């Protein structure tokens, strides 16, 4: 079959069997080499290669310091946006939702009791009271004290107990003890909101103590020891013959003066020195306290004044008779050293003759009972603190080691199985051998035990030895807690001995101001006795007052007439406050290790200067 070939020549299409031969022929045809080598024009090339590929140019973004591809930039940008939506938005929402602040740690029993115990001092204030005193039934009193018989007047200070006498010896001890607690536990006081309060209490006392002698002088020859008097079986108006509110006193209030008072002078020096550390943030007042302490200390140490302040005085001996002054010498020297850093004071405190005169190393049980009269165990603990924390070494080590050993023995007396002291069936240690008013001694011992446990913790010492027996610091705390818990209500009577604390507490405390109604009526000297003898509870609540305590059989008589059971005292409450602040865990644990040493100079010589350059 043939068809026309428009390009020229015949074009044969064989539809029947001859096409295979033709195909073979065509495969074997000679190629036109010239046609293959000819250059194709653009149109012809496009027939063979198809349409040309077009290359896209990458676009870039100049970010100033970096140039990047636009595609990468947008990829990163959208990733950030998505991450913000997925992660950031939920976080913002969560942060914006108001959150409840974590509830503060509820105060423990010791903290609750502490707030009340401090209020007792407000109720005992004499003089012109501040507006924030916080005791509604108290007012200004004793505004004429000492104005006509002393150099500066003796307005202010504290009434000692349920009467209206101001005994300077136990008052000074109470201020020393309270200052010690602030030096050791200032952070606890701050956390409990009582720091300013306790400092006000101390300053009220130290301002008054500065009036009891010429504190602006460097040398003195007398001190005032007491305002107001009471005579056994008195027949004339005085502070025991009368039962009157302090605001209504109209009977004579004579001032006691002494020219020899080694014990009182040393205690006043200790009180002012300890307070100077408390008020170190007020340099002017702190220096004033140090100057006064130095004057009182010099008076106490003067050989011409070395006599007990109470000797032969019928208005003092029956109530606050001092049994010696060597313990006050050691106590005041320690506090004066911490307040001033004067090495001569440390030399005196560690002079072997001092502990010998004080019988410090004789292991006499009664001399291990800390009180307003016996400062020995407190002084030994203060000096033990120096040894275990600063370790001054020679030439102080011999005496300091003796104080350390004596302190260990004191702590061993808290262990019941050694039977150093008797104990009541209810668990109260009888440090005064079953005589009345045992709680103040138990609280003082509880404080020393708890404080020593904190000292051991501060230097990473786990415990102490009593002969071959080893006891941990927790044993001391357990003892301290057992005694304080007894006061708070864990006793056979199931009652608190702190007025206003717990459901059951003394309601007939022996106290003139608390027992007479605050009704604007002035009751006469003897007319007030109807309130003392009343069977009704006190009309005014003496919050925080610690009753002096039960008898040796855990018995207690809530009677105004029986002061041995129901009359609180400054020194007793100071010991209570000390024990409570040391034990409370509401505001953390541990002591301020360094503040007490802030005035102590370096105990070792400094590095000598380098030698001068060698010159040929």
């Amino acid at each position: 079959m043939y068809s026309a070939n428009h390009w020229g020549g015949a074009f044969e299409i064989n539809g029947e069997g001859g096409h295979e031969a033709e195909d073979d022929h065509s495969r074997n045809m000679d190629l036109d080499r010239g046609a293959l080598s000819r250059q194709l024009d653009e149109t012809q090339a496009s027939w063979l290669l198809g349409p040309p590929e077009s290359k896209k140019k990458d676009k870039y973004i100049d970010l100033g310091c970096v140039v990047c591809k636009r595609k990468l930039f947008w990829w990163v940008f959208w990733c950030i946006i998505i991450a913000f939506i997925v992660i950031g938005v939920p976080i913002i929402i969560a942060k914006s939702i108001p959150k409840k602040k974590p509830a503060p740690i509820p105060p423990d029993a010791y903290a609750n009791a502490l707030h009340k115990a401090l209020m007792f001092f407000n109720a005992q204030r004499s003089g012109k009271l501040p507006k924030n005193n916080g005791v509604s039934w108290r007012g200004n009193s004793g505004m004429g004290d000492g104005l006509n018989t002393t150099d500066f007047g003796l307005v202010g200070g504290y009434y000692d107990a349920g009467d209206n006498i101001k005994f300077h010896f136990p008052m000074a001890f109470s201020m020393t003890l309270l200052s010690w607690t602030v030096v050791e536990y200032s952070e606890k006081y701050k956390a409990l909101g009582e720091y300013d309060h306790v400092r006000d209490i101390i300053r009220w006392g130290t301002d008054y103590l500065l009036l009891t002698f010429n504190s602006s002088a460097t040398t003195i020859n007398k001190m005032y020891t007491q305002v107001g008097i009471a005579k056994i079986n008195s027949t004339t108006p005085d502070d025991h013959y009368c039962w009157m509110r302090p605001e209504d006193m109209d009977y004579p209030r004579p001032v006691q003066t002494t020219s020899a008072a080694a014990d009182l002078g040393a205690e006043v020096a200790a009180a002012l020195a300890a307070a100077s550390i408390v008020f170190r943030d007020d340099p002017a007042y702190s220096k004033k306290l140090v100057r006064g302490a130095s004057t009182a200390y010099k008076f106490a140490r003067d050989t011409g004044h070395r006599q007990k302040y109470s000797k032969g005085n019928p208005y003092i001996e029956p109530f606050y008779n001092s049994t010696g002054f060597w313990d006050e010498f050691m106590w005041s020297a320690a506090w004066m050293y911490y307040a001033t850093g004067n090495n001569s004071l440390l030399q005196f405190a560690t002079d072997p003759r001092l502990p010998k005169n004080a019988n410090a190393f004789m292991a006499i049980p009664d001399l291990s009972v800390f009180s307003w009269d016996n400062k020995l165990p407190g002084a030994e603990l203060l000096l033990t603190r120096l040894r275990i924390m600063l370790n001054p070494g020679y030439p102080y080590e011999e005496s300091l080691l003796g104080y350390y050993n004596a302190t260990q023995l004191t702590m061993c007396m808290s262990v019941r199985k050694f039977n150093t002291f008797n104990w009541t069936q209810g668990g109260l240690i009888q440090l005064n051998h079953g005589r009345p008013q045992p709680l103040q001694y138990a609280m003082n011992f509880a404080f020393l035990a708890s404080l020593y446990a904190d000292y051991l913790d501060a230097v990473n010492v786990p415990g102490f030895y009593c002969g071959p027996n080893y006891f941990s610091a927790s044993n001391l705390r357990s003892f301290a807690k057992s005694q304080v818990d007894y006061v708070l209500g864990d006793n056979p009577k199931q009652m608190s001995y702190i007025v206003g604390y717990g459901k059951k507490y003394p309601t007939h405390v022996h106290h003139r101001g608390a027992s007479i109604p605050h009704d604007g009526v002035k009751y006469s000297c003897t007319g007030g006795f109807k309130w003392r003898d009343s069977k009704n509870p006190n009309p005014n609540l003496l919050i925080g007052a610690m009753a002096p305590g039960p008898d040796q059989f855990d018995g207690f008589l809530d009677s105004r007439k029986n002061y041995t059971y129901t009359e609180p005292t400054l020194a007793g409450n100071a010991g209570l406050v000390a024990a409570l602040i040391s034990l409370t865990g509401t505001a953390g644990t541990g002591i301020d290790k360094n503040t007490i040493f802030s005035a102590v100079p370096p105990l070792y010589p400094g590095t000598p200067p380098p030698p001068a350059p060698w010159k040929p």
Side-chain angles (χ1 to χ4, degrees):
M1 177 177 176
Y2 297 92
S3 63
N5 184 351
H6 300 289
W7 296 96
F11 184 73
E12 179 180 356
I13 299 177
N14 191 344
E16 306 228 345
H19 64 278
E20 292 181 1
E22 291 295 330
D23 288 342
D24 291 340
H25 173 72
S26 62
R27 282 194 289 268
N28 295 323
M29 288 175 22
D30 291 335
L31 296 174
D32 187 350
R33 303 294 181 183
L36 291 174
S37 62
R38 185 182 56 187
Q39 191 74 21
L40 300 177
D41 59 26
E42 186 175 350
T43 302
Q44 291 172 328
S46 64
W47 295 343
L48 297 175
L49 300 177
E53 293 183 2
S54 60
K55 290 186 178 180
K56 295 182 179 180
K57 291 184 179 181
D58 292 330
K59 295 183 180 181
Y60 293 86
I61 296 176
D62 187 352
L63 300 177
C65 57
V66 177
V67 177
C68 65
K69 291 182 179 180
R70 176 178 291 182
K71 184 177 181 180
L72 176 62
F73 171 80
W74 286 112
W75 184 85
V76 171
F77 174 79
W78 286 112
C79 285
I80 292 173
I81 295 298
I82 293 171
F84 175 76
I85 294 172
V86 174
I87 300 174
V89 171
I91 292 176
I92 293 173
I93 294 172
K95 292 284 186 182
S96 63
I97 297 174
K99 292 183 178 180
K100 291 183 179 179
K101 293 183 178 180
I105 300 174
D108 57 23
Y110 307 123
N112 284 330
L114 176 70
H115 294 303
K116 298 182 182 299
L118 288 170
M119 285 303 299
F120 172 72
F121 293 90
N122 293 47
Q124 295 301 104
R125 279 176 171 164
S126 178
K128 184 176 175 59
L129 302 186
K131 293 181 179 179
N132 64 345
N133 192 50
V135 182
S136 61
W137 47 270
R138 281 301 322 280
N140 299 337
S141 63
M143 298 302 292
D145 285 352
L147 292 182
N148 298 323
T149 56
T150 65
D151 299 328
F152 313 102
L154 291 169
V155 177
Y158 292 97
Y159 301 118
D160 177 68
D163 51 30
N164 301 327
I165 301 176
K166 295 188 287 194
F167 291 101
H168 298 170
F169 191 47
M171 186 193 305
F173 169 72
S174 300
M175 296 305 106
T176 312
L177 186 52
L178 289 179
S179 291
W180 193 2
T181 70
V182 176
V183 170
E184 302 286 10
Y185 299 109
S186 60
E187 291 305 315
K188 285 190 178 184
Y189 277 116
K190 291 175 182 176
L192 293 173
E194 291 287 2
Y195 183 65
D196 292 336
H197 184 195
V198 71
R199 279 166 46 111
D200 286 344
I201 291 170
I202 294 168
R203 186 160 187 163
W204 191 270
T206 53
D207 281 349
Y208 179 78
L209 292 175
L210 289 170
L211 299 176
T212 62
F213 64 101
N214 186 358
S215 58
S216 61
T218 56
T219 303
I220 58 174
N221 57 16
K222 66 178 180 180
M223 295 190 83
Y224 303 114
T225 62
Q226 181 175 314
V227 177
I229 60 171
K231 209 169 185 178
I232 303 298
N233 299 321
S234 174
T235 57
T236 57
D238 62 22
D239 279 288
H240 281 189
Y241 181 85
C242 299
W243 191 273
M244 301 180 74
R245 299 177 67 245
E247 293 80 2
D248 297 334
M249 294 182 296
D250 56 8
Y251 48 83
R253 288 174 57 78
V255 175
Q256 301 297 297
T257 309
T258 183
S259 59
D263 39 16
L264 175 61
E267 186 56 63
V268 170
L272 299 178
S276 75
I277 302 173
V278 172
F279 292 101
R280 196 154 274 162
D281 59 343
D282 184 347
Y285 188 61
S286 182
K287 290 178 181 178
K288 182 179 181 180
L289 292 172
V290 169
R291 286 195 301 269
S294 299
T295 301
Y297 182 78
K298 183 179 178 181
F299 171 76
R301 292 278 295 122
D302 191 299
T303 54
H305 301 123
R306 290 190 185 180
Q307 181 175 299
K308 295 185 296 180
Y309 89 108
S310 58
K311 185 177 180 180
N313 190 321
Y315 302 117
I316 300 176
E317 277 186 326
F319 308 107
Y320 286 102
N321 183 47
S322 174
T323 56
F325 51 77
W326 291 104
D327 56 321
E328 277 86 16
F329 279 179
M330 188 188 299
W331 174 246
S332 61
W335 280 115
M336 289 290 293
Y337 174 66
Y338 287 138
T340 66
N342 187 331
N343 276 328
S344 66
L345 295 161
L346 179 59
Q347 290 169 4
F348 172 68
T350 56
D351 186 320
R353 292 172 294 182
L354 178 57
K356 181 179 179 180
N357 288 330
N359 293 320
F361 303 153
M362 299 297 290
I364 300 172
D366 285 351
L367 293 183
S368 297
V369 179
F370 188 42
S371 72
W372 57 264
D373 180 38
N374 178 36
K375 320 302 167 28
L376 196 57
E380 290 168 344
L381 182 54
L382 269 179
L383 293 166
T384 293
R385 191 190 208 279
L386 178 68
R387 180 182 186 269
I388 64 177
M389 295 188 187
L390 295 188
N391 190 22
Y394 181 83
Y396 314 112
E397 174 61 17
E398 181 181 355
S399 290
L400 290 180
L401 178 59
Y403 295 143
Y404 170 78
N405 290 334
T407 295
Q408 300 272 73
L409 286 175
T410 296
M411 298 304 151
C412 293
M413 293 179 188
S414 69
V415 180
R416 190 168 185 174
K417 74 176 185 178
F418 294 146
N419 296 316
T420 307
F421 293 97
N422 292 328
W423 298 60
T424 69
Q425 289 294 320
L428 179 67
I429 190 170
Q430 296 287 287
L431 296 169
N432 63 340
H433 306 290
R435 291 190 291 269
Q437 305 175 344
L439 292 187
Q440 61 174 304
Y441 305 102
M443 293 303 95
N444 289 344
F445 199 176
F447 167 63
L448 295 187
S450 178
L451 180 60
Y452 187 54
D454 284 339
Y455 285 177
L456 294 178
D457 287 348
V459 294
N460 297 316
V461 174
F464 63 101
Y465 281 95
C466 296
N469 301 287
Y470 180 80
F471 297 94
S472 68
S474 62
N475 289 102
L476 292 175
R477 288 197 183 90
S478 296
F479 162 76
K481 288 181 178 180
S482 72
Q483 299 306 293
V484 175
D485 289 348
Y486 186 101
V487 173
L488 299 185
D490 186 10
N491 55 65
K493 288 290 185 181
Q494 293 296 297
M495 63 173 290
S496 159
Y497 284 99
I498 302 174
V499 176
Y501 180 84
K503 295 180 179 179
K504 182 182 178 183
Y505 49 80
T507 58
H508 298 76
V509 291
H510 181 96
H511 193 275
R512 286 158 175 76
S515 64
I516 300 175
H518 180 54
D519 55 7
V521 177
K522 178 179 178 178
Y523 297 93
S524 67
C525 169
T526 57
F529 277 97
K530 71 175 184 179
W531 301 110
R532 187 201 67 173
D533 300 336
S534 170
K535 301 295 184 182
N536 296 324
N538 288 341
N540 306 312
L541 199 63
L542 188 60
I543 293 176
M546 182 180 74
D551 59 27
Q552 58 188 318
F553 305 108
D554 298 304
F556 180 77
L557 182 62
D558 190 7
S559 168
R560 249 180 247 107
K561 290 184 177 182
N562 198 328
Y563 67 90
T564 60
Y565 287 103
T566 60
E567 185 176 20
T569 64
L570 280 183
N573 257 69
L576 172 65
V577 167
L580 291 170
I581 192 65
S582 70
L583 288 174
T584 179
T586 300
T589 57
I591 58 166
D592 180 340
K593 188 176 178 180
N594 299 315
T595 293
I596 199 171
F597 299 131
S598 55
V600 174
L603 296 172
Y604 304 100
T607 305
W614 179 80
K615 293 183 180 180

